[in-house]
Amino acid sequence: MVAIIQLLSTWTIPVLIAFIPLYASLRKVPVYETFVDGAKDGFQTAIGIIPHLVGMMTAISMFRASGAMDAMIGLIRPALEGIGVPGDVLPLALLRPITGAGSLAFVTDLIKEQGPDSFVARVASTIQGSTDTTLYVLTVYFGAIGIRNSRYALKVGLFSDLVGFFAAVAACWLLFGLV
C-alpha cells in the first residue's frame, strides 16, 4: 500500500502538468495566450493587494512591539494552564490567525527549544495544521476582490480558529497524553 501511495505521489503532478495543456489543445483552447492572460491578471491582483498587506504587516508589528500580545497572554495563561493548555503555545493562538510565517517561525522555535517529540511541540504543530491565517485571508482575498464589508466572515473565521486551537490541544491530550 505504501508503494502505491509513493508511486501516486511521485507521478500525480507531472501527469497533471502534461495533461492540462494537452487537454486544452485538444479542445482548441489557445494554451499559451490563455496562460499569458492569466499571468497578467495575477500580476494586477498582486499589485492590488500590496496596500492591504502593508497595512496588515504594520498592524502586526505594532501589536507585537507594543507589548499588547504579551499582556494578553499574561492575563489568560493561568486560566488556560488550569484546563491543560500548555502555556508555551498561547502566543501561537494569537499569532496564527494573523500571520502564517510568524506562527511557523514561533513553532520552529518551540520545536528547537523543547524538542520535536515534546508534548508542547506536538501541540504547537497540531495547532499550526488545524487553524488558518484568518486575518491574512480576509485582508488579502477580500481586499483583492474589493469586498469592504466582511460581514460574518471575521467572526466565523476567528471562532473556527478558536475551536481548532482547543480541538488540537484535546487531540494531543487524547493521542499523546502528558509526555
Side-chain angles (χ1 to χ4, degrees), residues 13-26 29 31:
I13 299 296
V15 167
L16 281 174
I17 289 172
F19 173 76
I20 291 171
L22 181 64
Y23 181 74
S25 295
L26 293 174
V29 173
V31 176

Side-chain angles (χ1 to χ4, degrees), residues 1-16:
M1 185 63 160
V2 172
I4 293 171
I5 292 172
Q6 286 178 337
L7 184 67
L8 283 174
S9 67
T10 302
W11 285 100
T12 300
I13 299 296
V15 167
L16 281 174

Side-chain angles (χ1 to χ4, degrees), residues 52-162:
H52 302 282
L53 285 171
V54 169
M56 185 188 66
M57 296 309 243
T58 302
I60 292 167
S61 296
M62 289 172 53
F63 178 65
R64 294 185 74 190
S66 71
M69 185 174 85
D70 294 332
M72 288 177 67
I73 291 168
L75 288 173
I76 60 175
R77 175 173 264 181
L80 291 179
E81 283 180 342
I83 61 169
V85 176
D88 293 335
V89 299
L90 292 181
L92 187 58
L94 297 176
L95 282 175
R96 183 67 177 142
I98 299 171
T99 170
S103 62
L104 182 59
F106 181 79
V107 170
T108 302
D109 287 344
L110 272 180
I111 291 171
K112 285 179 185 175
E113 288 173 14
Q114 308 266 340
D117 292 329
S118 69
F119 184 71
V120 169
R122 289 175 175 176
V123 170
S125 298
T126 307
I127 291 168
Q128 183 75 9
S130 302
T131 57
D132 201 358
T133 53
T134 300
L135 297 177
Y136 176 84
V137 168
L138 291 178
T139 300
V140 172
Y141 297 128
F142 281 32
I145 58 174
I147 293 176
R148 299 273 181 236
N149 183 4
S150 62
R151 199 162 170 111
Y152 299 110
L154 179 62
K155 294 174 191 169
V156 170
L158 291 176
F159 180 71
S160 66
D161 287 333
L162 184 67

